[in-house]
Amino acid sequence: EAAVTQSPRNKVAVTGGKVTLSCNQTNNHNNMYWYRQDTGHGLRLIHYSYGAGSTEKGDIPDGYKASRPSQENFSLILELATPSQTSVYFCASARGAETLYFGSGTRLTVL
Amino acid sequence: AQSVTQPDARVTVSEGASLQLRCKYSYFGTPYLFWYVQYPRQGLQLLLKYYPGDPVVQGVNGFEAEFSKSNSSFHLRKASVHWSDWAVYFCAVSIQGGSAKLIFGEGTKLTVSS
């Protein structure tokens, strides 16, 4: 069965600190995505990738970087975390134009 | 611009009653539409998807949805709700014609009463 694993499950960070959220998928899917979920906004796309070495900006990329070092791994990086980035972050993978498979989420609190 | 609107933030139905969750989309061209469900403390899971063709699509656990081009809608239905359907439901549209790059609605939280 498809599996997308996110770490950590919960994270508390300080304003101005660097935060890295990790995502690993065992589906051998080409495409991976990072979304954030906020009340009143649903899910919004931050960055995505079509394969190892590629990253693309989504709808709300400001303040975030992404890294796809391999087919399996896709990281979201907050170089200078701010309280407005407090949210729940979801990683997802897809083979192409098919179903998104989501991880269980990372709850990030920036104090 | 492409968008998805779910006009009902919260819906409560009795167990065994029928259900309709509303979704309106704005998209230039042929939309590819999806319903995802999020159970407590979990990621989203696909319920069903519409690719151009038959306007009524069947999903898992007895869910179905009907696409209407004239109404720009993709409402989700279920004939008889079970307590295990208690969850948040998201409607989404593909913004690259069938790609997995989606725009999501705000979600509808379904509560099932006994």
Side-chain angles (χ1 to χ4, degrees):
Chain A
E1 179 164 323
V4 179
T5 304
Q6 295 183 232
S7 62
R9 192 67 190 264
N10 295 281
K11 173 73 176 178
V12 179
V14 297
T15 298
K18 181 177 181 179
V19 176
T20 300
L21 307 183
S22 300
C23 179
N24 176 273
Q25 55 107 353
T26 59
N27 310 324
N28 197 31
H29 287 166
N30 292 328
N31 299 347
M32 296 186 74
Y33 305 81
W34 276 106
Y35 286 90
R36 63 177 284 177
Q37 182 181 30
D38 303 287
T39 302
H41 289 282
L43 278 78
R44 292 178 289 174
L45 182 63
I46 306 170
H47 284 289
Y48 59 102
S49 168
Y50 290 129
S54 94
T55 61
E56 306 287 341
K57 293 181 179 180
D59 299 323
I60 53 165
D62 293 345
Y64 302 94
K65 291 172 57 177
S67 174
R68 183 86 182 271
S70 65
Q71 177 85 335
E72 298 79 19
N73 295 296
F74 190 39
S75 298
L76 186 68
I77 303 154
L78 291 67
E79 295 278 5
L80 295 169
T82 69
S84 64
Q85 294 175 312
T86 293
S87 185
V88 180
Y89 291 84
F90 286 98
C91 176
S93 74
R95 184 178 306 280
E98 296 180 8
T99 305
L100 280 170
Y101 291 88
F102 284 85
S104 299
T106 294
R107 184 174 296 274
L108 173 66
T109 302
V110 182
L111 302 176
Chain B
Q2 300 95 335
S3 66
V4 174
T5 302
Q6 294 178 245
D8 305 309
R10 296 174 183 272
V11 170
T12 299
V13 298
S14 300
E15 190 171 16
S18 63
L19 169 70
Q20 177 172 279
L21 301 182
R22 297 184 293 163
C23 173
K24 301 276 285 185
Y25 67 89
S26 173
Y27 185 76
F28 297 107
T30 302
Y32 292 70
L33 296 157
F34 305 80
W35 277 99
Y36 279 82
V37 60
Q38 184 180 29
Y39 299 106
R41 295 176 300 281
Q42 296 185 27
L44 283 71
Q45 304 170 32
L46 182 70
L47 268 183
L48 49 79
K49 58 187 175 185
Y50 167 79
Y51 286 3
D54 190 335
V56 179
V57 292
Q58 305 295 323
V60 299
N61 298 332
F63 285 93
E64 69 173 28
E66 183 167 6
F67 166 72
S68 171
K69 185 174 183 179
S70 60
N71 294 324
S72 297
S73 67
F74 188 55
H75 300 329
L76 182 71
R77 302 188 297 240
K78 186 171 184 178
S80 178
V81 170
H82 188 264
W83 68 266
S84 60
D85 295 324
W86 192 320
V88 182
Y89 293 80
F90 291 94
C91 183
V93 64
S94 169
I95 62 176
Q96 285 183 350
S99 82
K101 189 179 171 193
L102 303 182
I103 289 180
F104 285 86
E106 297 172 5
T108 298
K109 184 173 184 178
L110 174 65
T111 300
V112 181
S113 62
S114 56

